[in-house]
Amino acid sequence: MAGLREEDRILFGMRHPPHLIEQGLTGSVIGAFFEVYNALGYGLLESVYAAALAEELGSRGHTVEREVFVDVYYKGKSISRQRLDLLIDKKLVLEIKATEVLSRFSFRQMLSYLIVTRLPIGLILHFGPRARFHRLVSTDRQGKPLASARCLDT
């Protein structure tokens, strides 16, 4: 995966999954991502891509929530909040990036979102000079949520 050092690949336990979690949902979202990218191209603000993607996903029958705040708890007390760019069908976290180069931090950011939401799957959609997506999962082989998340190179 672009942007990750070999030690990060080992840390995140990256390997090819035997099956894809939420394959139909992620396939639909990835199709919408390329539809938006092909229409708008590179060079706009993240908020523009998020709005266009929300519109496209809504037209495909998905429930789209933008800028969703999620509480982080410590010993039963909310200590912080994180903001998800998009939450699709209450199952999939999307992180939109509109930078020239995708930062390594983007992967750690998504892994944090998956841990906090306890959702099994997230996509980083990079509206860069070249359209790219990255799938991250936080489950064991049986699909059960893990205490920590890992990244799968797809």
Side-chain angles (χ1 to χ4, degrees), residues 16-148:
H16 292 284
H19 66 282
L20 295 177
I21 298 166
E22 296 291 349
Q23 186 171 3
L25 175 58
T26 58
S28 179
V29 170
I30 291 165
F33 162 62
F34 282 109
E35 180 77 20
V36 170
Y37 187 88
N38 289 337
L40 297 178
Y42 169 65
L44 301 174
L45 295 175
E46 179 183 306
S47 60
V48 174
Y49 293 118
L53 191 58
E55 187 69 27
E56 181 63 30
L57 289 168
S59 75
R60 292 176 182 224
H62 295 288
T63 302
V64 179
E65 298 174 69
R66 289 185 62 190
E67 299 187 358
V68 177
F69 284 93
V70 180
D71 289 321
V72 179
Y73 291 91
Y74 175 73
K75 294 186 177 181
K77 182 179 178 185
S78 177
I79 58 166
S80 183
R81 298 179 92 194
Q82 293 185 334
R83 184 189 56 82
L84 313 177
D85 283 346
L86 294 158
L87 182 61
I88 310 304
D89 296 342
K90 298 202 180 291
K91 296 179 182 179
L92 175 64
V93 177
L94 296 185
E95 180 62 23
I96 310 292
K97 296 296 180 186
T99 56
E100 184 175 348
V101 177
L102 189 61
S103 166
R104 288 181 53 229
F105 173 75
S106 301
F107 299 94
R108 293 184 188 278
Q109 181 182 19
M110 175 58 80
L111 292 171
S112 175
Y113 294 162
L114 294 179
I115 291 168
V116 171
T117 62
R118 300 202 47 84
L119 290 173
I121 186 84
L123 292 174
I124 299 171
L125 304 178
H126 185 211
F127 289 87
R130 215 172 112 210
R132 296 191 60 122
F133 69 91
H134 303 274
R135 177 190 315 267
L136 290 87
V137 299
S138 66
T139 64
D140 64 16
R141 288 180 182 257
Q142 289 74 43
K144 297 176 186 168
L146 294 174
S148 63

